[in-house]
Structures are given as structure tokens and as C-alpha cells.
Amino acid sequence: VKTSFIQKLPTAKSNHRKFLQLFPYAIEQFNLNEYDLILSSSASIAKGVLTNQDQLHICYCHSPMRYAWDLYHQYLMEAGLNKGIKGMYAKYVLHKMRNWDINSTNRVDYFIANSEYIARRIKKVYRRESNVIYPPVNTRAFTFMAQKDDYYFTASRMVPYKKIDLIVRAFNDMPSKKLIVAGTGPDFEKIKKIAKENIQFLGFISDDDLKKNMQEAKAFVYAAEEDFGIVPVEAQACGTPVIGFGKGGLLETVLSNKTGVFFKEQTSTSLIEAVTYFEKIKFDAELIRLHAEKFSKERFEQEMKVYVENRYSAFCTGR
């Protein structure tokens, strides 16, 4: 692993975002001249590496940089940078980042999107076509269990866009239903304070405890709008249905009324309605597990191998 100079800057490991204006310059310092094929995995600036006409660059894109595009206003508000001198400077930096982001798409020969949802975003922002290859989920690490306990489960980093507070507020209004929450983050204490007695917080838990809770839960609850969403697939690998927000990548990983149900709005009322509807349906745990296998690590490796070999073969022939 070779890191950029940002790694050595003071406080970079604890708060790398304050060096945002240096990101494009940093990625352009990597000398990749000795390679024939470059694969970049990018949700921000990795696709901006410099290449030449004898190199093939394939970018596996998880999203155009969200803080500069679709999450621009939310990012500024949550960081407290929507007003004042600091706000003006942050907006200027993000404006420059958007210009660089668009210009650097010309350095990519082919885009792969991690979902149809992201393929549409790539088309909208970059005006580029892309092929979809879903990310790898280690489904073998999650054991199927048909027998479920009488509780709902969610696990996430406690940050605003994950909407854990929304889930907690919804279950506050369903006191007869037990919710177990796993994960830590900046909003942990704030969310814990608003929870009622039917909600249990585990904080940080081991992988084994995460699997156990996923296996035994009657449903995994997920309220974020994700580009793909690995965790809901892991839950399905346990044979556990998902109650999720019906937007983004989740629409591609959860089958409505077969491996889970959706709620239409990011509101506690909408989630409560989804839970009520969920409890009227009988789910087949074996079918849910089988569906999760469509996103396995082995499938990902095979699809990537075929895609890259075909593109590289055509590139060499054309050259």
C-alpha cells in the first residue's frame, strides 16, 4: 500500500476532510507509468489518477463525489459551513472540486457502477455510460437461520444520513415491539437519550455478535438512502427479511414482499406503517438466503474478471 503525502500531515488521520482542497493534487502525484492496466475504486477522487495513451483505466465507481454533488447542501449544513466566511470558503472549494471532478472523467476509459442507481447518477453528472457489477458481499460468513426471535434489529454508524434516530422514534411509538440497535458514532448519545424502554442499545459489537443478532431478528430495519447497501444483503444472507427505505440501491437488493418490505418516506409514520404491513406477511427464510447469494463475493470476482479481460483484450487489439 502506498499512501499520498496527506497521510503525513498533522491530524490527517483523525480529520482528513479538512484537507479536501488537496485531494486532487494528491491523487495526481501517483506515478503509475509502469502499469498497463489501472483499476480505480472511486467514490471521490481515485478516478483522477494520471494515465497515458498506452494504459487502460477502468473505474469502479461507487458514486460521483457526493459531498460536491447530491449531498452538497446537506454536507455544508451538517458541517456548520453554510454561513459566514468559512462557509464561503467551503463553497468555493467544493465549486473547484466539481470542476475538477468533471474534467477528470476524461481520464477514465470505462466506468463500472456498483448499482443501477449509481449508473443513473454517473449518467446525470458525468454524461458517461457504465456497466453495473454489484459489490461483493461475503455471504459465506453469514449463516442461515430459519427460526427467528421476537425483536427487530438495526446496525449502523450513528451519523445523520443513516437515520437511526428515525428508526428509534418509530419504535418509541410502538412500545410493544422490541428494537435492538448496534453501532456507535457522533450521534450515539443523542439518539440513546430519546429512546424508550423497548429499545436496547448495544454500542460497538463484535462480528460474531452482529451475525447472531442478524440471524435471530425477525427483521432488519434500514432507513438510509444508500448507493448499494452491504448490510441489508448480509441480513438476507442470514435468512432475515429487511424493512427498508424504498429508494436507492436497496430497491435492487431487496425483493418487495419476498425478501422484505419498503416504506416510501423517511418518516417514523411511514416506517410504522411498513412494520404493521410486514407482520401480516409470512416470509420464506430459505428464499431470502438464496436471493442474497446473487451478491456473493464469488459472483463479483467472476463478473469483474470477465469484464476487465474483455475490455483489456479489445484495448490491446485496437492499439
Side-chain angles (χ1 to χ4, degrees):
V1 175
K2 297 179 181 179
T3 59
S4 76
F5 68 87
I6 292 178
Q7 188 87 0
K8 300 176 182 178
L9 296 178
T11 72
K13 292 183 180 179
S14 60
N15 186 13
H16 64 278
R17 289 186 179 87
K18 69 180 181 181
F19 301 110
L20 182 64
Q21 65 269 34
L22 298 178
F23 285 8
Y25 177 74
I27 200 68
E28 291 174 353
Q29 301 315 299
F30 288 102
N31 185 349
L32 305 179
N33 285 339
E34 63 181 289
Y35 303 102
D36 300 312
L37 171 66
I38 290 90
L39 301 178
S40 61
S41 177
S42 183
S44 180
I45 48 93
K47 73 176 190 332
V49 291
L50 300 179
T51 59
N52 62 51
Q53 72 279 0
D54 296 320
Q55 297 172 301
L56 177 66
H57 179 187
I58 299 174
C59 173
Y60 189 42
C61 185
H62 307 286
S63 177
M65 53 176 72
R66 300 198 69 181
Y67 49 83
W69 294 102
D70 59 307
L71 292 184
Y72 170 71
H73 296 288
Q74 181 178 330
Y75 170 79
L76 290 173
M77 184 175 64
E78 291 175 359
L81 296 173
N82 52 334
K83 296 179 181 179
I85 299 298
K86 287 185 178 180
M88 290 178 63
Y89 179 70
K91 292 172 184 177
Y92 171 76
V93 169
L94 291 172
H95 169 72
K96 299 290 286 185
M97 291 291 287
R98 281 193 294 274
N99 290 337
W100 179 89
D101 191 37
I102 292 295
N103 290 334
S104 63
T105 60
N106 294 323
R107 304 173 191 179
V108 177
D109 295 295
Y110 296 101
F111 276 99
I112 302 173
N114 73 359
S115 65
E116 296 289 349
Y117 183 61
I118 292 304
R120 293 193 295 272
R121 190 181 294 163
I122 291 171
K123 178 68 173 178
K124 172 70 175 179
V125 176
Y126 295 157
R127 303 299 181 189
R128 294 283 299 272
E129 299 294 337
S130 58
N131 290 87
V132 175
I133 297 179
Y134 292 117
V137 181
N138 190 8
T139 53
R140 290 188 177 183
F142 293 84
T143 308
F144 163 80
M145 184 176 288
Q147 189 64 36
K148 302 299 181 182
D149 206 337
D150 190 23
Y151 68 86
Y152 294 86
F153 180 62
T154 189
S156 173
R157 179 163 166 73
M158 303 288 184
V159 291
Y161 87 94
K162 291 293 187 179
K163 302 294 183 182
I164 301 300
D165 59 330
L166 184 156
I167 298 174
V168 168
R169 292 181 193 280
F171 277 84
N172 278 345
D173 293 333
M174 297 184 287
S176 64
K177 305 184 192 306
K178 182 179 179 181
L179 172 69
I180 296 179
V181 182
T184 60
D187 291 350
F188 179 81
E189 292 298 333
K190 181 174 69 174
I191 295 173
K192 189 175 181 180
K193 284 181 181 178
I194 67 171
K196 294 185 178 179
E197 293 181 356
N198 59 313
I199 301 171
Q200 178 184 356
F201 287 81
L202 303 179
F204 175 81
I205 59 175
S206 67
D207 289 345
D208 288 340
D209 286 338
L210 175 67
K211 294 171 191 175
K212 184 175 185 298
N213 280 284
M214 277 187 173
Q215 289 170 335
E216 298 176 357
K218 67 192 300 183
F220 182 78
V221 186
Y222 202 71
E225 179 185 341
E226 288 285 9
D227 303 329
F228 175 75
I230 296 286
V231 182
V233 178
E234 293 175 340
Q236 291 174 87
C238 297
T240 301
V242 175
I243 301 174
F245 177 47
K247 192 174 181 181
L250 210 66
L251 291 173
E252 300 171 53
T253 60
V254 176
L255 299 177
S256 181
N257 297 335
K258 293 182 179 179
T259 71
V261 300
F262 297 113
F263 53 98
K264 296 180 180 180
E265 300 174 348
Q266 283 179 315
T267 64
S268 58
T269 300
S270 188
L271 175 52
I272 290 169
E273 290 173 354
V275 171
T276 302
Y277 178 71
F278 167 84
E279 294 189 340
K280 298 176 181 178
I281 302 173
K282 185 175 181 179
F283 289 90
D284 184 338
E286 290 187 17
L287 184 150
I288 295 172
R289 166 71 191 195
L290 186 64
H291 173 67
E293 291 291 352
K294 295 179 180 179
F295 306 97
S296 70
K297 179 181 176 182
E298 294 75 20
R299 178 271 324 158
F300 170 81
E301 290 174 349
Q302 179 61 23
E303 289 185 14
M304 283 294 287
K305 182 176 185 294
V306 170
Y307 182 92
V308 172
E309 287 180 350
N310 286 344
R311 291 297 185 271
Y312 188 67
S313 177
F315 177 76
C316 291
T317 302
R319 188 169 58 184

